[in-house]
Amino acid sequence: MSKGTGFFKALGRVSLGVLPSLIAIAIGLAFGFVILLISDSSRAVDGLKMIASGGFTGGMKGTGNVLYFATPLIMTGLSVGFAFKTGLFNIGASGQLLMGAFAGIYVAHNATWIPQPMLWVVCLLTAMCAGALWGMIPGLFKGLLNVHEVIACIMCNYIGLYGVNYMIRNSNIYDRLKNQTVNIPHAAIPRWGLDEIFHNEMASGFKDASSVNGGILIAILLAVVMYFVLNRTTFGYELKACGHNRDASRYAGINEKRSIIFSMMIAGALAGAAGGLIFLAPSNGPSIRVEEILAPQGFSGISVALLGLSNPIGIIFSGLFVAYISQGGFFLQRLNYMPEIIDIIIAAIIYFSAFALLVQNLIATAGRKRSARREREDDADDAAVPEEEAST
């Protein structure tokens, strides 16, 4: 087989993998257009254009804000997607995110002895460690006691939420007047020159900068690392093999309990990094509010992982896409549409993405059966030829 033929076959496989998501996006946008027509038919076309333009509506600043909002979505998408790849469902990304965020902010406020340029690095690593430890709990329950990870993760979400609220109220990072954590401008993630690219030039010469920072580059780097770990290392192969079949993995000499625990720890570390990247940037906030609401980015990560087919590289693009149309949904308010319409569109895209993936799997299964039947027929024909020659 020539190199050119191999390239086109690989390109074809990639296209077939991306096709379900593209079809789902098209159907989801069409479904959203119907919702816009029902809400206000006179502005439905303008509303669809607003969604399609997404973050570009705000110029370069809007594009930078898309990158800023995509950062935690990519990280929580990686958290959920990594668990999916290893046969687990990490629905506990919200609790892991909050634990990571609290740990990062606490260290940023109290570890004044750490040199200023390295403070954000230490805080981010602390956030990842806190997320990993919180993700280890459902991993232990699953690996040692065979408790389903969904149940354990849901319980850990609420324990994490109320636990973080309690720790904030009883720590020196609590702002009692605002009922939230204090701001920590000295621990912000560096912008690395991205604010010089993604900003709008005002008539007065003032630069209206976006909220983008180096977090998007960190998220992309971690996605590439996760892709390498899953597809190019023995450790990643063992995690995926254990997820596909625990009994077969045990027979092959893989410690399935250790693999499950490590999978949930890595997923938790990625969600904890999302919390760190949110609350350690930008330079003037934001802060963790003491409230009874789970972090929505943790659940949005499920959508991002499904749309990206749990592939770390696909999750980068799906996270950017969800942030992009979410920004477009925010601007829908200019046309007096409710911004929740964009949530309906995203939900429709995810639903049709799962349906398209199901159809693709059915087609692939039918193709494999057809190929196997053809091979059996060819083997039967080859076996019949020597018998005819011998009789002759």
Side-chain angles (χ1 to χ4, degrees), residues 68 105 108 116 120 182-192 195 209-215 276-287:
Y68 171 70
I105 291 178
Q116 185 83 17
W120 71 269
V182 296
N183 289 336
I184 44 167
H186 54 280
I189 305 295
R191 294 181 181 271
W192 290 331
D195 55 333
S210 65
S211 300
V212 67
N213 54 69
L277 293 175
I278 292 173
F279 293 100
L280 295 175
S283 58
N284 58 348
S287 302

Side-chain angles (χ1 to χ4, degrees), residues 95-113:
Q96 296 153 12
L97 184 152
L98 286 173
M99 279 293 178
F102 172 78
I105 291 178
Y106 187 86
V107 171
H109 185 75
N110 291 283
T112 55
W113 50 271

Side-chain angles (χ1 to χ4, degrees), residues 210-259:
S210 65
S211 300
V212 67
N213 54 69
I216 184 64
L217 301 180
I218 296 173
I220 292 173
L221 176 63
L222 287 174
V224 173
V225 170
M226 289 300 102
Y227 179 85
F228 179 82
V229 168
L230 284 171
N231 298 284
R232 295 290 185 271
T233 64
T234 304
F235 176 67
Y237 173 80
E238 290 180 354
L239 295 182
K240 290 191 295 183
C242 181
H244 287 300
N245 193 318
R246 291 180 63 180
D247 296 329
S249 299
R250 189 187 308 114
Y251 181 78
I254 298 174
N255 189 330
E256 80 281 3
K257 295 180 180 179
R258 183 187 64 184
S259 296

